[in-house]
Amino acid sequence: MEFNTTVLVAILAAVMGYFTSSYWMKFFRKPPRVEGFFRPEFRPVAERFRKNMESGLESGGTFAAYVNGELVVDMWGGFTDYELHHYWKNYTVGNVASVTKLVASITFAKLVDNGHVSYDKPVSDYWPEFAQNGKSQVTVRMLLSHQAGVIGLSVPLTPEMIRDDWERVEEILAEQKPLFEPGAGTAYHAYTFGLYIDALARKVDPKHRRLYQIFAEDIAEPFDIDFSIGLRKPEQYRVARESRQSLFRQLWDALSAPDYHRLVLSVIFRQNPLFEANNLSIKDADKPGKWDDPDSKEIPYCSGQGFGTARSLAKLTGILANGGTYQGRQLLSADVMDDLSSVAVSGYDMALKRPVRRGSGVWIVKNPWGDDVFGHPGFGGQMSYVDRKNKVGLAYITNHFSVFSLGDDPRFRAMEEMFYRCVDSMP
């Protein structure tokens, strides 16, 4: 292969530009502000959070956790708009991306708890049109655990259709032919998951509400959870503006992380049709700025349009971690939580190119002590999960998106590790 001097010079220029700009920005950047609350035992968590901000590793974010039903850490800091240097406030909300799927799955589990739907029955029992094109044997659990094969849509949707033409959306979802044989494996339904769970919820709910309405009326309001799927315009002043790390930094991080090598190479060399199918489900869904305008933020899209504080997510997961009951109200029963978080599929994800374990809409991962927890990661570094064994509910939200989108962001991992050291020191 002929040596391409121009390409080499461009790469070297990008590398030098990145490191030079990073160096000089330290002198011109307005110092971040870090605020919040922590119990004395959790001071090291707050110090780790501050260090992430002051080093520039983080530009804006929040971390919160409940233990035994008590809020023990609630930190926020940095900037909601890095360019304008607007500080993150205690009322700031972030777009939690795919962590929205955790909230959607918990909401769906409430329908299971109320006896309106069963994880083990075919989807077509509740939604007859879904049986088209070889999907008659797909169970609700298979659909929620990304085994149904409906990873992409042959008729791409627009965000506006999700808001304004839901009946047509349901027709497209029902007609879709699986891209792999249902039950033959698992592949992350990044974009379609929220659409299918939303449609199925409307079929089984006695009031025929969509999932965002069920969450708002049956969970957010009675349990005082400051979170919504889709955000009304009057509330949008609270949203932190999203920023992404430079393309060079994203590529550098991906190539530095062995777990991402197969995924990155499969995308670069176009050897991952399932991953591409995800991106084609909603027109321009992954285009930067696509969801930034006020009309788009209002769209109740259950795969990735959740807005809230880390405190609210930690409260939600903390209630489940502490038995599922709060101030005399039951959010979920222990039996349904067992069902929700039991391993529905364990194996190689054909889209993400890595091994996974999934429950009925949730990911099952390990905490730093090696215990199973259930939750969901989100694009850019977001993470929230329920640790029932240790009665912990926690959440991390950032508006400075990294390439680490599978619960493995180093910023979160450092906070998580320090947090569990402090849990060990509690009375």
Side-chain angles (χ1 to χ4, degrees):
M1 182 182 295
E2 184 178 349
F3 183 75
N4 193 325
T5 306
T6 304
V7 172
L8 179 61
V9 170
I11 293 174
L12 290 175
V15 173
M16 292 179 63
Y18 169 75
F19 285 106
T20 301
S21 63
S22 297
Y23 176 79
W24 286 108
M25 279 302 293
K26 292 189 296 184
F27 298 98
F28 295 102
R29 186 176 64 221
K30 188 177 180 180
R33 189 164 65 195
V34 175
E35 299 178 283
F37 154 82
F38 56 88
R39 270 184 48 158
E41 303 97 311
F42 292 87
R43 178 175 292 277
V45 178
E47 291 174 349
R48 176 72 259 182
F49 186 76
R50 180 183 295 277
K51 186 176 293 186
N52 283 354
M53 292 293 173
E54 293 177 345
S55 68
L57 189 64
E58 176 70 270
S59 68
T62 174
F63 177 88
Y66 275 74
V67 180
N68 294 322
E70 178 188 354
L71 180 65
V72 296
V73 180
D74 181 19
M75 301 297 299
W76 61 86
F79 305 99
T80 60
D81 189 318
Y82 189 73
E83 293 179 4
L84 299 178
H85 283 179
H86 292 164
Y87 285 118
W88 198 289
K89 305 286 179 41
N90 68 334
Y91 59 77
T92 298
V93 298
N95 182 339
V96 302
S98 284
V99 174
T100 310
K101 295 181 177 73
L102 170 61
V103 177
S105 300
I106 291 170
T107 306
F108 193 88
K110 194 156 185 64
L111 292 171
V112 175
D113 218 358
N114 291 336
H116 301 314
V117 60
S118 168
Y119 287 125
D120 295 316
K121 288 188 176 180
V123 175
S124 57
D125 280 10
Y126 310 103
W127 183 8
E129 297 83 359
F130 180 86
Q132 297 175 66
N133 290 315
K135 303 194 299 295
S136 62
Q137 300 305 309
V138 173
T139 65
V140 174
R141 195 183 304 276
M142 288 169 61
L143 180 65
L144 268 61
S145 57
H146 305 257
Q147 299 182 72
V150 285
I151 189 170
L153 299 177
S154 302
V155 180
L157 307 179
T158 64
E160 292 72 25
M161 290 174 68
I162 299 171
R163 181 189 60 210
D164 302 329
D165 196 2
W166 187 248
E167 290 187 1
R168 176 57 182 148
V169 170
E170 289 187 354
E171 290 175 0
I172 292 171
L173 296 176
E175 293 166 358
Q176 181 60 43
K177 183 178 181 180
L179 299 185
F180 61 86
E181 182 183 351
T186 183
Y188 184 39
H189 294 41
Y191 291 111
T192 58
F193 175 89
L195 300 170
Y196 278 102
I197 191 175
D198 198 353
L200 183 56
R202 195 173 79 89
K203 303 296 183 185
V204 304
D205 178 60
K207 300 178 184 177
H208 301 293
R209 296 169 295 175
R210 288 184 56 186
L211 201 69
Y212 76 96
Q213 296 170 305
I214 300 171
F215 172 75
E217 295 169 11
D218 295 358
I219 297 179
E221 184 176 345
F223 292 93
D224 192 24
I225 306 295
D226 183 16
F227 191 95
S228 66
I229 301 174
L231 191 65
R232 295 170 56 250
K233 288 188 180 75
E235 292 290 305
Q236 291 184 18
Y237 74 94
R238 303 173 62 193
V239 180
R241 181 184 175 189
E242 300 161 13
S243 65
R244 300 194 185 195
Q245 293 176 339
S246 69
L247 182 60
F248 172 78
R249 178 59 188 268
Q250 292 181 57
L251 183 60
W252 177 275
D253 285 346
L255 294 177
S256 301
D259 288 347
Y260 283 81
H261 288 176
R262 287 185 178 180
L263 174 59
V264 171
L265 292 175
S266 70
V267 172
I268 290 175
F269 293 106
R270 301 185 70 83
Q271 298 296 312
N272 195 338
L274 294 178
F275 192 84
E276 292 179 18
N278 263 322
N279 294 333
L280 295 175
S281 299
I282 299 178
K283 190 176 181 181
D284 297 329
D286 60 344
K287 184 178 180 181
K290 177 66 178 178
W291 301 88
D292 282 349
D293 70 88
D295 287 339
S296 294
K297 281 187 170 67
E298 281 195 315
I299 294 172
Y301 176 45
C302 295
S303 276
Q305 280 277 88
F307 296 89
T309 62
R311 180 171 56 252
S312 62
L313 278 173
K315 181 177 182 180
L316 176 63
T317 54
I319 291 171
L320 299 184
N322 199 43
T325 301
Y326 178 74
Q327 294 184 349
R329 294 177 180 268
Q330 186 179 73
L331 203 164
L332 287 181
S333 69
D335 287 344
V336 167
M337 275 193 282
D338 288 343
D339 214 2
L340 167 69
S341 60
S342 62
V343 178
V345 61
S346 177
Y348 188 72
D349 187 294
M350 295 181 284
L352 298 178
K353 304 296 183 183
R354 62 167 61 199
V356 296
R357 290 190 303 155
R358 293 193 175 106
S360 296
V362 299
W363 291 33
I364 302 168
V365 296
K366 298 286 187 183
N367 69 11
W369 292 349
D371 303 319
D372 278 351
V373 299
F374 72 87
H376 212 291
F379 176 73
Q382 334 297 326
M383 187 64 181
S384 183
Y385 64 65
V386 177
D387 178 351
R388 296 174 69 192
K389 180 177 180 180
N390 302 294
K391 296 188 177 181
V392 167
L394 57 74
Y396 168 72
I397 300 172
T398 175
N399 67 335
H400 189 43
F401 289 177
S402 75
V403 72
F404 299 104
S405 301
L406 302 173
D408 51 3
D409 190 292
R411 297 168 296 182
F412 166 70
R413 283 285 175 85
M415 297 288 296
E416 179 193 35
E417 179 68 32
M418 189 63 71
F419 170 77
Y420 272 90
R421 290 185 194 177
C422 295
V423 171
D424 209 20
S425 69
M426 288 183 69

